[in-house]
Amino acid sequence: MIQDKIRELVQYGLLTGLVSAEDEIYTTNRLLELFQIEDYPYGFGEKIEQTEEEAVKRLPDLLTEMMDYAVENGILQEDGIVYRDLFDTKIMSCLVGRPSEIIRRFHEEYEKSPEAATNFFYKFSQDTDYIRRYRVCRDEKWVTPTKYGNLDITINLSKPEKDPKAIAAARLAKQGGYPKCLLCVENEGYAGRINHPARQNHRIIPLTINGSRWGFQYSPYVYYNEHCIVFNGQHTPMKIEHNTFVKLFDFVKQFPHYMLGSNADLSIVGGSILSHDHFQGGRYEFPMAKAPVEKSFTVKGFEDVQAGIVNWPMSVIRISGPDTERLIALADVILDAWRSYSDEASFIFAETEGEKHNTITPIARKRGDHYELDLVLRNNITTKEHPLGVFHPHANLHHIKKENIGLIEVMGLAVLPARLKKEMAELEEAILCGADLRQNEVLAAHADWAEEFLTRHSEVNAENIHEIVQQEIGLVFMQVLEDAGVYKCTEDGRKGFERFIDRLNA
């Protein structure tokens, strides 16, 4: 009976803390209304023999069973993953408190410590199924050792692929202007539509950042531990400027256990959403944060600030010290200098035909008693040879990674497309069988790469092929970062980097 499922879901809410004992009857009645049920054979206050861990593990199957009932009884008019995602979010919304309740609880936890507050909110975001644990755990993850240290590699399987019927419906659907984008505060509680995800189970924590209203939430796809998004309360474009550095440190001071960074503000080198000012952060130490400074330098007038070039495939200046105002002041100097800097010998042009090319990807963190700010130099110039960007993954790497190199990749975490899981499985099988890769339309794109890396492995067999392919994908990502670096890790590249450092002291 669907009543059994409703009873079990309410029990899940009680066990996870989403539902209090006082709200058990109310929550049950909301679910009965949703499923158009008029009777309920159970009493209240009686517990099902189940632990929280068991309930969490059971949730995906439970929701599937409830949606199957909805399809069979005409409550869910269309079947398919997009329609099911809209409906199961509606189901879960019956267990989720009003925003004011969640905000109050967050602040109560913050009084204990910032960590207690984020621990509460992260668990809450998973328990509500806003972060779909069962999808996130499908992501493939591994670490590849390189000359720059370990790189983190993921094949992202968290985002569901749309079925053809939903794609067709989305194409015909009216393009709404509300919410303006996926980051707007108006997403909180929004029912969603075929071309916009449901967010009834989504809650936002309001923050004051640099004197203005911002929102704090987690990414539903959590590419890394406690992957959070901090976004402007207004739908305003991203811009790297003085206030960017102020905002980054304002957040880090409120949540010193989190790092926070910003995508660059230009196409090609920026993120996927440049129309809404936002940052990404979390409780995670990225490979770039572990990379050491290879050469220290001092900027005139900022002798009290430690500065250096980081040993990293992209071009990174790290500044650190106990006084954030001094770091912000130096960051302003570096940003202003880089915006207008050209160096033909390094193929760096600040502007061509009225289009500006130079910008920065900044990342802030607290380390001990000091604050750190990594400034990654970016340039989005294109040429006929590299129409997608000179400092972008080059064409020979597009079979693995073609998308923009945004903040997360800059810091050493590859977020690779889901297609690679299937393609790499087929590639491994083809290699073991000795098949001609060029006779397969999909594998032909990987043929040159596979033939080259196989020469470096004396023995390839069923036991080691998967590890070899993963290792080689990681090395491709290393090359991706090298392509994206404006100054290469070569003698000439470092001389070019030092010319820019000299410009800071001119």
Side-chain angles (χ1 to χ4, degrees):
M1 292 193 306
I2 186 61
Q3 290 94 328
D4 294 331
K5 313 300 179 188
I6 290 173
R7 183 186 185 211
E8 190 176 354
L9 185 61
V10 174
Q11 169 81 5
Y12 167 86
L14 290 165
L15 287 169
T16 56
L18 293 177
V19 176
S20 65
E22 295 86 348
D23 293 330
E24 181 182 357
I25 296 173
Y26 171 80
T27 303
T28 301
N29 285 335
R30 289 193 66 196
L31 288 164
L32 290 172
E33 177 187 3
L34 177 60
F35 284 94
Q36 302 172 19
I37 301 297
E38 296 182 354
D39 60 328
Y40 188 70
Y42 301 109
F44 295 98
E46 299 175 5
K47 297 291 189 292
I48 300 171
E49 287 299 322
Q50 190 181 42
T51 66
E52 180 178 351
E53 183 180 355
E54 290 169 340
V56 168
K57 187 176 181 181
R58 163 84 174 127
L59 182 65
D61 290 338
L62 176 60
L63 289 173
T64 297
E65 293 165 9
M66 297 177 84
M67 287 186 290
D68 288 345
Y69 174 90
V71 171
E72 292 164 6
N73 289 272
I75 300 167
L76 182 54
Q77 299 296 325
E78 292 281 356
D79 204 354
I81 190 167
V82 174
Y83 299 97
R84 283 175 173 255
D85 278 2
L86 290 170
F87 191 73
D88 74 359
T89 303
K90 191 172 186 179
I91 295 172
M92 290 303 299
S93 72
C94 295
L95 278 64
V96 183
R98 290 177 179 270
S100 58
E101 178 187 335
I102 309 309
I103 293 166
R104 175 184 56 76
R105 178 72 189 280
F106 182 88
H107 287 299
E108 287 175 354
E109 295 297 325
Y110 192 89
E111 287 298 315
K112 301 173 187 174
S113 72
E115 293 94 331
T118 55
N119 287 346
F120 154 72
F121 193 46
Y122 190 56
K123 181 179 184 298
F124 167 85
S125 299
Q126 294 174 90
D127 289 341
T128 61
D129 210 36
Y130 167 72
I131 296 173
R132 298 172 187 263
R133 289 183 177 104
Y134 66 97
R135 285 185 184 162
V136 173
C137 70
R138 296 176 191 165
D139 291 350
E140 294 206 355
K141 301 180 180 183
W142 67 94
V143 173
T144 298
T146 74
K147 59 187 176 181
Y148 305 104
N150 291 338
L151 296 180
D152 295 337
I153 315 297
T154 66
I155 294 179
N156 173 42
L157 304 171
S158 303
K159 290 185 179 181
E161 295 186 23
K162 294 183 179 180
D163 56 80
K165 184 187 292 186
I167 292 172
R171 192 177 297 118
L172 297 174
K174 180 181 178 181
Q175 296 299 310
Y178 178 88
K180 292 186 177 69
C181 78
L182 292 171
L183 291 179
C184 287
V185 292
E186 291 82 5
N187 282 280
E188 187 174 42
Y190 185 63
R193 54 185 189 266
I194 194 65
N195 54 5
H196 193 106
R199 290 291 183 256
Q200 292 111 313
N201 59 349
H202 172 46
R203 297 294 180 265
I204 296 167
I205 304 299
L207 298 177
T208 300
I209 303 289
N210 192 28
S212 60
R213 184 182 175 88
W214 282 59
F216 172 78
Q217 67 181 56
Y218 288 103
S219 164
Y221 308 114
V222 287
Y223 296 143
Y224 51 87
N225 186 48
E226 300 184 36
H227 177 187
C228 70
I229 301 173
V230 181
F231 59 97
N232 199 314
Q234 301 296 319
H235 183 75
T236 185
M238 292 187 64
K239 186 178 182 182
I240 303 298
E241 58 183 358
H242 167 80
N243 282 336
T244 304
F245 308 132
V246 175
K247 292 168 187 172
L248 289 173
F249 282 123
D250 203 350
F251 176 85
V252 170
K253 287 177 180 178
Q254 293 180 56
F255 300 92
H257 59 300
Y258 274 19
M259 50 68 57
L260 194 71
S262 173
N263 272 304
D265 55 353
L266 296 179
S267 60
I268 295 177
V269 296
S272 57
I273 303 179
L274 295 179
S275 60
H276 196 126
D277 191 15
H278 71 285
F279 305 127
Q280 295 181 82
R283 194 186 312 205
Y284 190 75
E285 187 173 32
F286 283 86
M288 191 178 79
K290 301 174 186 176
V293 167
E294 68 177 52
K295 183 171 183 178
S296 298
F297 62 87
T298 301
V299 178
K300 188 187 304 180
F302 293 91
E303 289 79 8
D304 57 322
V305 177
Q306 298 175 26
I309 296 172
V310 179
N311 180 30
W312 193 245
M314 296 192 70
S315 307
V316 186
I317 294 173
R318 178 172 296 157
I319 59 177
S320 63
D323 186 345
T324 58
E325 290 189 8
R326 294 293 290 159
L327 298 185
I328 291 166
L330 178 52
D332 287 341
V333 170
I334 295 171
L335 175 62
D336 289 345
W338 180 246
R339 287 282 195 197
S340 61
Y341 185 74
S342 294
D343 181 354
E344 187 173 353
S346 298
F347 203 78
I348 293 170
F349 298 92
E351 183 179 322
T352 58
E353 299 180 356
E355 180 184 357
K356 296 185 183 300
H357 298 301
N358 288 351
T359 186
I360 278 175
T361 299
I363 302 102
R365 67 183 73 89
K366 191 168 192 274
R367 198 183 295 277
D369 294 330
H370 280 212
Y371 292 92
E372 287 184 352
L373 186 64
D374 284 352
L375 302 170
V376 188
L377 308 181
R378 312 298 302 275
N379 179 289
N380 75 346
I381 196 168
T382 61
T383 62
K384 289 183 179 179
E385 182 184 1
H386 300 293
L388 297 182
V390 172
F391 305 108
H392 177 85
H394 290 176
N396 64 308
L397 307 179
H398 288 179
H399 64 106
I400 298 294
K401 179 70 172 177
K402 185 178 181 180
E403 298 80 11
N404 291 358
I405 303 307
L407 171 67
I408 294 173
E409 286 91 357
V410 163
M411 296 186 291
L413 170 59
V415 182
L416 303 177
R419 64 175 172 81
L420 285 179
K421 180 177 174 65
K422 184 173 183 291
E423 291 178 14
M424 291 305 103
E426 292 178 5
L427 178 65
E428 290 169 17
E429 183 178 352
I431 288 173
L432 292 176
C433 293
D436 184 352
L437 303 181
R438 300 180 190 280
Q439 296 304 308
N440 181 300
E441 185 178 352
V442 173
L443 298 186
H446 301 294
D448 288 346
W449 169 61
E451 290 170 0
E452 186 273 329
F453 77 64
L454 286 172
T455 63
R456 298 199 296 271
H457 299 275
S458 58
E459 183 178 355
V460 178
N461 53 50
E463 283 69 41
N464 67 8
I465 182 64
H466 187 61
E467 183 180 347
I468 287 173
V469 169
Q470 285 189 334
Q471 175 187 345
E472 295 296 337
I473 288 175
L475 294 177
V476 168
F477 180 58
M478 180 188 74
Q479 294 174 59
V480 162
L481 295 181
E482 289 178 333
D483 283 352
V486 294
Y487 294 113
K488 308 309 176 188
C489 295
T490 62
E491 184 177 351
D492 286 343
R494 282 314 187 234
K495 286 181 180 177
F497 208 157
E498 289 173 13
R499 285 195 295 274
F500 174 66
I501 301 302
D502 290 340
R503 170 72 173 270
L504 296 176
N505 283 303

